[in-house]
C-alpha cells in the first residue's frame, strides 16, 4: 500500500501546489508507515519532487493530455492508483483537481474529502479536518472506504523540504479515444503573477475612484512580487478585467498576504478571501466592515498611504 499524489503542472513546470500536496503526502505516508508515489503529467524537472519527500515518480508523457481533460486525467490516476495499490490519493483543492476528484472517487470507490486543512487526527478511524462555509468554520470528516481521497486546501499545509531522492518510471496509462480536449478559449498570458498562484495579492476597490488610479496598485504589487485583484463593482465598471474579480462570484484567493485598498469588505467579497492568511486593509472609513476581518488595518486615504508604503518598501 502506498500514498499516491497528483502533482499539477502548467507548461511543463510544477505549480506550487504540487510541492504542497507532496509535502502533505510525505507526512501522511509517515503516519501510515508507507511510501509516496507521485504522478506527473507532461512535467519536466520531476526530480524536484524528491525535495518534498516523494519516493517514486510515475512520469506520464502523452500529447493527448496536453490540454486538461478531467476524465482522462482521472483515468490515468486510477490506473496509477491500482498499479501502486494506493491506500490514499492526495490532490490539491484547485479548480482542476476539483473536477478530477469526483470522477476518480467513482472509479476507485474511494470516499472523497475536499478542502482538507490538516493531517488526519487519527488514521483508524480515518478523520480529517476540513473548512466549511467559505472558510468560516471547520468540520471533521471520517472517510470509511478502503481508499481515501483527499483534496488539500491551498496554502493550508505549507512546504516541508526533505532531502530524500526519488526513482522515476515512465508510466503509460491506457486512455480512451475521446481523451484529448479541444481548447476554444485560453487565458491571456500576461507574464504577471496569477491570483491562483500568488503568495501576495494587492486588491483595489471602488474607493480608488477610477481606472486611471490603478498605477499605484500595480506599483505596490510589483514591489511585493504580488498579483493584482479587485472587487466586483470594479470589474463590472470595466476598470479592471473580470479575471481579477475576487469574491463569492469571482475567484477565491488563498494567499499568505491579502492587501485590500479602498474595499468596504462586503460579505460577498470576504467569502472569496477568507482562506488568505494575513489580511491588511487600507480604508478611509474607520467603520468599514473590512476592519472586522482584518489582521492589520490602516485608517487613511489610499492616495496618501499607498505611495508612502511603496516608498518604504523600496528602501528594503
Ligand atoms: P464600495 O462598497 O463602494 O466601497 C468602497 C470603499 O472604499 C468604502 O469602504 C470607502 O470607505 C473606501 N474608500 C473611499 N475612498 C477611499 C480612499 N480615498 N482611500 C481609502 N478608502 C477609500 N463583491 C465582490 O467584491 N466580489 C464578489 O464576488 C461579489 N459577489 C456578489 C454577489 C452578489 C449576489 C451580490 C448581491 C453582490 C456581490 N458583490 C461582490 C458586491 C458586494 O456586495 C459589494 O457591493 C462590493 O464588494 C463593494 O465593492 P467595493 O468595496 O469596491 O465598493
Amino acid at each position: 500500500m502506498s500514498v499516491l499524489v497528483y502533482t499539477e503542472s502548467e507548461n511543463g513546470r510544477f505549480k506550487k501546489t504540487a510541492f504542497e500536496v507532496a509535502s502533505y503526502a510525505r507526512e501522511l505516508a509517515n503516519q501510515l508507515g508507507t511510501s509516496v508515489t507521485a504522478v506527473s503529467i507532461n512535467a519536466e524537472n520531476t526530480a524536484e519532487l524528491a525535495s518534498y519527500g516523494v519516493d517514486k515518480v510515475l512520469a506520464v508523457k502523452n500529447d493527448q493530455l496536453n490540454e486538461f481533460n478531467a476524465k482522462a486525467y482521472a483515468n490515468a490516476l486510477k490506473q496509477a492508483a491500482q498499479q501502486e495499490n494506493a491506500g490514499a490519493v492526495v490532490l490539491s483543492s484547485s479548480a482542476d483537481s476539483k473536477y478530477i476528484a469526483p470522477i476518480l472517487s467513482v472509479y476507485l470507490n474511494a470516499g472523497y474529502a475536499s478542502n482538507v486543512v490538516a493531517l488526519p487526527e487519527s488514521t483508524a478511524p480515518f478523520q480529517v479536518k476540513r473548512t466549511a462555509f467559505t472558510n468560516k468554520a471547520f468540520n471533521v470528516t471520517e472517510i470509511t472506504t478502503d481508499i481515501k481521497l483527499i483534496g488539500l486546501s491551498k496554502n493550508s499545509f505549507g512546504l516541508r523540504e526533505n532531502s530524500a531522492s526519488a526513482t522515476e518510471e515512465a508510466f503509460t496509462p491506457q486512455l480512451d479515444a475521446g481523451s484529448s480536449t479541444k481548447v476554444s478559449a485560453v487565458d491571456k498570458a500576461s507574464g504577471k503573477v496569477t491570483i491562483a498562484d500568488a503568495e501576495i495579492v494587492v486588491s483595489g476597490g471602488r474607493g480608488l475612484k477610477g481606472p486611471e488610479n490603478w498605477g499605484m496598485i500595480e506599483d505596490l504589487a510589483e514591489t511585493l512580487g504580488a498579483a493584482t485583484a479587485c472587487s466586483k463593482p470594479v470589474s463590472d465598471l470595466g476598470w479592471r478585467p473580470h479575471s481579477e474579480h475576487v469574491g463569492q462570484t469571482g475567484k477565491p484567493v488563498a494567499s499568505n498576504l491579502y492587501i485590500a485598498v479602498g474595499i468596504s469588505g462586503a460579505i460577498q467579497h470576504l467569502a472569496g478571501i477568507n482562506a488568505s492568511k494575513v489580511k491588511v486593509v487600507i480604508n478611509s472609513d474607520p467603520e468599514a466592515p473590512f476592519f472586522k476581518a482584518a489582521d492589520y488595518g490602516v485608517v487613511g486615504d489610499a492616495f496618501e498611504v499607498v505611495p508612502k508604503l511603496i516608498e518604504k518598501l523600496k528602501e528594503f
Side-chain angles (χ1 to χ4, degrees):
M1 196 204 72
S2 67
V3 173
L4 192 83
V5 57
Y6 168 50
T7 49
E8 285 183 37
S9 57
E10 192 168 19
N11 300 326
R13 298 183 54 161
F14 287 114
K15 295 184 182 174
K16 194 186 118 198
T17 53
F19 303 131
E20 190 174 25
V21 287
S23 303
Y24 182 93
R26 173 73 268 156
E27 299 213 6
L28 178 61
N30 291 348
Q31 277 188 349
L32 297 169
T34 184
S35 58
V36 179
T37 301
V39 178
S40 72
I41 297 182
N42 294 338
E44 309 296 331
N45 293 334
T46 46
E48 286 177 325
L49 294 173
S51 312
Y52 299 93
V54 168
D55 299 300
K56 178 159 99 177
V57 182
L58 296 181
V60 179
K61 297 273 173 175
N62 187 325
D63 288 346
Q64 264 185 293
L65 299 174
N66 275 342
E67 305 299 348
F68 179 71
N69 177 318
K71 213 171 158 194
Y73 276 45
N75 194 358
L77 289 171
K78 174 192 79 173
Q79 292 171 48
Q82 287 169 340
Q83 175 183 298
E84 298 298 306
N85 187 23
V89 182
V90 183
L91 306 91
S92 157
S93 280
S94 67
D96 284 359
S97 286
K98 276 186 173 165
Y99 278 118
I100 297 171
I103 304 171
L104 188 58
S105 167
V106 173
Y107 284 166
L108 294 173
N109 192 22
Y112 169 46
S114 60
N115 299 324
V116 169
V117 291
L119 286 162
E121 288 171 17
S122 82
T123 53
F126 195 97
Q127 295 179 327
V128 280
K129 187 176 175 187
R130 312 162 61 196
T131 58
F133 303 117
T134 57
N135 301 305
K136 286 203 178 65
F138 295 108
N139 69 48
V140 174
T141 299
E142 182 177 342
I143 308 179
T144 55
T145 47
D146 289 344
I147 304 178
K148 290 45 168 144
L149 191 52
I150 295 171
L152 183 68
S153 193
K154 280 163 98 177
N155 288 331
S156 61
F157 193 71
L159 305 181
R160 315 268 167 102
E161 295 224 18
N162 209 291
S163 57
S165 61
T167 57
E168 181 173 328
E169 276 177 25
F171 183 61
T172 318
Q174 301 304 309
L175 299 176
D176 304 335
S179 290
S180 57
T181 305
K182 186 173 183 299
V183 177
S184 52
V186 289
D187 272 352
K188 258 194 251 168
S190 62
K192 291 183 183 167
V193 188
T194 63
I195 292 173
D197 283 333
E199 300 273 351
I200 306 174
V201 173
V202 179
S203 192
R206 206 154 40 182
L208 287 166
K209 322 284 187 222
E212 66 280 7
N213 296 322
W214 239 263
M216 65 181 184
I217 297 294
E218 289 189 330
D219 201 2
L220 179 57
E222 202 183 318
T223 309
L224 292 166
T228 50
C230 67
S231 65
K232 182 174 185 293
V234 164
S235 64
D236 287 347
L237 287 162
W239 296 357
R240 298 297 291 176
H242 281 289
S243 57
E244 290 197 358
H245 153 204
V246 301
Q248 183 188 316
T249 48
K251 286 191 176 150
V253 175
S255 56
N256 285 330
L257 174 62
Y258 184 79
I259 304 178
V261 186
I263 301 179
S264 58
I267 191 161
Q268 297 90 352
H269 187 85
L270 298 180
I273 61 115
N274 275 328
S276 289
K277 287 209 172 124
V278 177
K279 294 154 206 125
V280 175
V281 171
I282 301 170
N283 196 304
S284 53
D285 176 7
E287 302 297 321
F290 218 143
F291 284 118
K292 291 204 179 94
D295 298 286
Y296 300 94
V298 181
V299 179
D301 184 344
F303 297 94
E304 289 173 20
V305 176
V306 174
K308 279 190 189 145
L309 186 57
I310 295 168
E311 197 183 305
K312 280 282 166 205
L313 286 166
K314 283 187 175 165
E315 284 173 14
F316 290 105

